Amino acid sequence: MQRQFWRLIATGITSAEAALSVGVSVPVGTGWFRHAGGMPPISLAEPTGRYLSFEEREEIAIQRAQDKGVREIARAIGRDPGTVSRELRRNAATRGGKQEYRAGVAQWKAQQAAKRPKTAKLVDNPRLREYVQDRLAGNVRRPDGTIVPGPTPPPWKGLNKPHRADRRWSLAWSPEQIAHRLKIDFPDDESMRISHEAIYQSLFIQGRGALKRELVACLRTGRALRQPRARSQNKAQGHVTDDVVLRQRPAEADDRAVPGHWEGDLIIGTGRSAIGTIVERSSRATILVHLPRMQGWGQNPPVKNGPSLGGYGATAMNAALTASMTTLPEQLRKTLTWDRGKELSGHALFTVQTGTKV
C-alpha cells in the first residue's frame, strides 16, 4: 500500500489524493509523506518471489487458525515446510504472552528485519558535521566573532515555508556549495567528503539525527520537505491559456524594431512591499508602477484565499497597470509580456480596459 502511495506521489498528485487512492485516511497519507521528508523510504520495485508476500502471510494466518500443520500449509501456498516453520517462529505476535500468528504483525516484523541500517556519515564524523552545520547556518558575526542574531524569526514548526522578511540575517551556503568547497578546503582528507544529496536527506528525513531539523529554514527555498519534481511541474496556472503564451507574441516585438511592446515584472522587497516595472523593448524606457498598500494592511489579520492587501494582488495590479499604461498614446501600448505570476491573472480585463494584448 505504501509502495503504491509513493508511486502516485511521483506522478505529481498531493498526499491527500494519493492516500485516498490507496485506501487510507488523509492524515495517515500526510504523515507518511512528512515523516519521510517527501522522499520514498522504501524501494518502489515489487518484491521478488524469494520472500513471502503479504497475501501468503494472510493464507498462513488463516490456515494456522484452522489448526493445520506446517507441511499442509506449505503445500497449500507452494512453499518449503522449513520456510513456513521459520516464518511462524520468527514473526509471530507475542504481545499477549503467547505466540499467535497474525499477517499484519508478521509483515511488519519481516520488513523491520529486512532493513539494513547504515549510520549516516554526518553522525559518525563530528568534524564534518560541524563544518556542514556552520555553513548551512551561515551566522553573521561581528569582528570579535560574536554572532549578530538580527530579527527574531517566528518559532519554526516544520510545516510552512517562512517569508523572507521573517528570516534571520544569514550568509548561508547551499548544500551543493558545501559539497564542492570541502574538496578545496581539505584536498588530502578523504574523510571530509559528502554529497549535497546526503546533506539534503539529513535535513529532510526524520530519524537521521545528524543535522538540526530547523536548519531547513536556512535553505534558499525555505522548504521543510522535499517537493516531488512532477508535483512542481503540475502547478495550476489556470490564467495562462494558449492564446497568451509567449510564442503568440508578434515577431515585431521579438526583434525590438517597432516601439510599443513592453515587458513587465513584479519586485517584492522587505516587509512584502512591492513595485511593478514595465520596460519598452525598443527604447528601453522604464516605467515604475506604484503599488500602495490596500486599506486594512497591518491592521486586519490575513484571510486565507481573501484579497491581497499588500498592494500586488490581481485587482490592485490591474488598477495600477491600467493607470500607468493609459497615460501613453495608443500606438505605444501594443503588447505587454509578463511571467506566469498570479498578480496578472486578470490579464483579460486589463486587455479590455487598455487595448494592450498580454
Side-chain angles (χ1 to χ4, degrees), residues 21 25 31 47 81 99 135 144 148 174-175 215 222 229 234 253 283-284 291 317 343:
S21 298
S25 66
Q99 287 195 337
R135 278 150 186 78
D144 61 0
V148 183
S174 72
L215 283 175
R229 185 172 298 173
N234 289 346
S283 65
R284 314 308 290 167
L291 297 171
M317 178 60 78
E343 66 273 4

Side-chain angles (χ1 to χ4, degrees), residues 19-100:
L20 295 175
S21 298
V22 301
V24 299
S25 66
V26 171
V28 168
T30 304
W32 285 350
F33 187 85
R34 292 199 178 282
H35 184 74
M39 293 180 280
I42 56 176
S43 171
L44 300 187
E46 287 292 343
T48 64
R50 176 185 175 187
Y51 304 101
L52 288 172
S53 66
F54 182 63
E55 290 76 13
E56 288 175 315
R57 290 191 168 96
E58 284 185 319
E59 187 63 27
I60 292 173
I62 291 171
Q63 299 208 27
R64 193 64 177 167
Q66 297 171 356
D67 291 329
K68 292 186 178 180
V70 170
R71 294 185 180 278
E72 189 176 357
I73 296 173
R75 283 194 298 269
I77 65 174
R79 291 281 186 173
D80 187 88
T83 301
V84 177
S85 177
R86 283 191 299 272
E87 174 67 18
L88 291 171
R89 185 173 63 253
R90 290 175 177 173
N91 296 330
T94 57
R95 180 173 290 181
K98 61 178 182 178
Q99 287 195 337
E100 184 178 354

Side-chain angles (χ1 to χ4, degrees), residues 6 19 29 149 189 319 325 327:
W6 285 105
D189 190 352
M325 293 294 285
T327 60

Side-chain angles (χ1 to χ4, degrees), residues 278 287-290 315-328 333 350 353-354:
I278 48 177
I287 297 177
L288 299 182
V289 182
H290 182 46
T315 303
M317 178 60 78
N318 252 1
L321 269 180
T322 301
S324 296
M325 293 294 285
T326 50
T327 60
L328 301 169
R333 42 185 167 96
F350 170 77
Q353 292 174 336
T354 63

Side-chain angles (χ1 to χ4, degrees), residues 56-309:
E56 288 175 315
R57 290 191 168 96
E58 284 185 319
E59 187 63 27
I60 292 173
I62 291 171
Q63 299 208 27
R64 193 64 177 167
Q66 297 171 356
D67 291 329
K68 292 186 178 180
V70 170
R71 294 185 180 278
E72 189 176 357
I73 296 173
R75 283 194 298 269
I77 65 174
R79 291 281 186 173
D80 187 88
T83 301
V84 177
S85 177
R86 283 191 299 272
E87 174 67 18
L88 291 171
R89 185 173 63 253
R90 290 175 177 173
N91 296 330
T94 57
R95 180 173 290 181
K98 61 178 182 178
Q99 287 195 337
E100 184 178 354
Y101 189 83
R102 297 173 186 165
V105 175
Q107 182 73 14
W108 176 80
K109 281 192 170 185
Q111 288 174 349
Q112 294 300 110
K115 287 182 178 179
R116 296 293 179 267
K118 182 180 178 183
T119 307
K121 195 170 186 179
L122 290 173
V123 174
D124 282 343
N125 192 334
R127 184 176 169 219
L128 178 61
R129 181 174 66 248
E130 186 177 352
Y131 182 96
V132 172
Q133 218 156 238
D134 285 348
R135 278 150 186 78
L136 278 175
N139 293 319
V140 178
R141 298 180 183 272
R142 298 184 178 90
D144 61 0
T146 57
I147 296 175
V148 183
T152 303
W156 185 80
K157 298 179 181 178
L159 298 178
N160 299 323
K161 179 177 176 181
H163 293 305
R164 190 164 297 278
D166 298 331
R167 299 183 186 185
R168 59 179 179 76
W169 294 338
S170 174
L171 298 171
W173 293 27
S174 72
E176 193 164 0
Q177 285 176 319
I178 295 172
H180 287 301
R181 185 68 191 185
L182 279 165
K183 300 174 185 177
I184 299 173
D185 290 349
F186 306 96
D188 301 321
D189 190 352
E190 289 297 322
S191 67
M192 296 295 286
R193 299 284 186 274
I194 192 169
S195 68
H196 62 277
E197 176 63 20
I199 298 175
Y200 278 119
Q201 290 190 11
S202 295
L203 289 172
F204 288 141
I205 301 177
Q206 294 182 18
R208 282 296 177 96
L211 297 176
K212 297 176 182 177
R213 190 77 167 84
E214 58 268 21
L215 283 175
V216 296
C218 297
L219 295 176
R220 288 164 191 176
T221 60
R223 190 175 293 132
L225 301 169
R226 172 158 285 179
Q227 184 177 19
R229 185 172 298 173
R231 184 182 294 181
S232 64
Q233 293 171 348
N234 289 346
K235 286 185 178 178
Q237 296 282 356
H239 64 284
V240 181
T241 53
D242 287 341
D243 60 322
V244 296
V245 293
L246 187 63
R247 63 176 175 269
Q248 301 294 340
R249 186 165 67 174
E252 64 180 26
D254 287 335
D255 59 19
R256 304 179 185 269
V258 180
H261 300 281
W262 300 78
E263 286 185 354
D265 202 0
L266 175 68
I267 302 173
I268 300 177
T270 305
R272 310 302 285 175
S273 59
I275 191 169
T277 62
I278 48 177
V279 181
E280 205 279 315
R281 285 180 57 82
S282 178
S283 65
R284 314 308 290 167
T286 301
I287 297 177
L288 299 182
V289 182
H290 182 46
L291 297 171
R293 308 287 195 190
M294 298 182 72
Q295 186 176 1
W297 165 261
Q299 301 171 358
N300 305 330
V303 179
K304 187 174 182 180
N305 296 328
S308 174
L309 303 180

